[in-house]
Amino acid sequence: MKIGFVGLGNMGAPMARNLMAAGHQVAGFDTAAAPDDIPLATTAAEAASGADVVITMLPNGEILRAVASQIHPAMPKGAVHLDCSTVDVESARNVAQAAEASGLSCVDAPVSGGIGGATNGTLTFMAGGPPEAFDTVSPLFEVMGQKAVHCGDAGNGQAAKICNNMVLGATMIATCEAFVLADKLGLDRQAMYDVVSTSSGYSWSMNAYCPAPGVGPQSPADNDYRPGFAAALMLKDLNLSQMAAKAADADTPMGQRAREIYAQFVEDEGKGALDFSAMLPRFSNRGRGPADT
């Protein structure tokens, strides 16, 4: 396919490279990044011109809407706008309506898997939009990821992402709290892991991404909490979840409390660049992050 790719940051650039390695023709654009191994256009509209699919990977809904207004007029009728950003549900649905008005299809497909998943082509995509458009871009999902789930109508990909990450944020906090409690009770961390990871406390946060250094599979905890998924990004997703909860009149007290704790960690304590699992040393030191230990 001929693909325009707008947003060539830490996630977008490796995704674009994987598409190129699979034989797709890619024209990229970014206002800041300029990878020397990806063919670049001078504007977003130029990247989108004549493309079968235009992929966007952008920071927020406001920027997505602005970029959509630039690329939609340049795209041929029947093309697909595949948005892999994580944004608010309202923006995703607004952009889908704008695409339809321009004779295009739109699929919102935020990702899970972080920079490693983008580099290794093992992302999970949560997609919303017309089934026909999902089918069109499915071969691209197979290149960039290991799984794609069609979640329903426009915006449902974003809904799935923020629900997933609300669970993730809350369970990571609970996992870190449990390790700190084990420490104070004199329970060895490895013993704690061996019990919880094979018992009813099993979770992805414990089993696949353990926040305790030297325990479980390799994780950012074993690399001084350099981010696989930064705490600032977790806060972004938790903010989106609470925006959606307010709009939908959903009661999410655990999600709200997780948002408050990550807001304190990121905004008040200045630890947003650390991995979101760095909550463990933060709790161990009662509010002082790893840089203060």
Side-chain angles (χ1 to χ4, degrees):
M1 296 184 192
K2 183 177 181 181
I3 299 170
F5 206 116
V6 181
L8 299 173
N10 291 333
M11 295 292 292
M15 293 165 68
R17 292 186 186 104
N18 287 337
L19 291 169
M20 291 170 57
H24 296 288
Q25 181 182 346
V26 175
F29 176 76
D30 194 291
T31 57
D36 57 13
D37 57 345
I38 298 173
L40 299 175
T42 57
T43 65
E46 182 183 328
S49 179
D52 302 302
V53 176
V54 177
I55 301 173
T56 47
M57 178 60 90
L58 301 167
N60 58 54
E62 182 180 0
I63 293 174
L64 171 63
R65 292 188 194 215
V67 168
S69 70
Q70 298 167 31
I71 64 175
H72 287 176
M75 295 169 64
K77 302 297 183 186
V80 179
H81 178 186
L82 172 58
D83 178 47
C84 295
S85 317
T86 297
V87 301
D88 58 287
V89 175
E90 181 183 358
S91 289
R93 290 177 175 161
N94 176 276
V95 167
Q97 291 169 358
E100 185 177 359
S102 297
L104 310 169
S105 296
C106 187
V107 175
D108 58 289
V111 305
S112 178
I115 296 169
T119 301
N120 298 324
T122 57
L123 295 169
T124 294
F125 294 85
M126 295 145 270
E132 301 80 9
F134 177 82
D135 290 342
T136 298
V137 297
S138 286
L140 305 184
F141 291 145
E142 292 173 5
V143 171
M144 297 184 290
Q146 61 182 351
K147 187 174 184 178
V149 179
H150 187 223
C151 300
D153 295 336
N156 281 11
Q158 299 297 341
K161 172 67 181 288
I162 61 177
C163 288
N164 178 79
N165 279 19
M166 186 172 71
V167 172
L168 178 59
T171 56
M172 180 56 77
I173 288 171
T175 300
C176 293
E177 288 179 348
F179 271 111
V180 171
L181 179 58
D183 290 344
K184 292 185 178 297
L185 294 174
L187 175 62
D188 179 75
R189 286 183 172 183
Q190 184 64 53
M192 213 283 270
Y193 174 84
D194 290 343
V195 171
V196 176
S197 66
T198 56
S199 301
S200 55
Y202 174 106
S203 72
W204 189 88
S205 296
M206 175 64 76
N207 291 58
Y209 208 87
C210 184
V215 179
Q218 192 82 8
S219 73
D222 299 303
N223 193 28
D224 296 324
Y225 295 98
R226 291 185 176 87
F229 184 57
L233 295 178
M234 174 53 78
L235 176 59
K236 171 191 171 181
D237 289 356
L238 290 169
N239 282 332
L240 291 173
S241 77
Q242 295 314 294
M243 286 173 55
K246 182 177 180 180
D249 193 27
D251 187 19
T252 58
M254 291 295 291
Q256 175 61 20
R257 185 63 184 129
R259 192 210 71 79
E260 292 167 356
I261 293 172
Y262 273 101
Q264 181 180 1
F265 187 59
V266 172
E267 297 170 354
D268 298 342
E269 298 168 21
K271 301 299 194 294
L274 295 173
D275 191 77
F276 81 111
S277 63
M279 277 291 169
L280 176 54
R282 187 247 181 222
F283 285 129
S284 293
N285 292 281
R286 290 187 174 272
R288 299 190 304 275
D292 303 314
T293 58

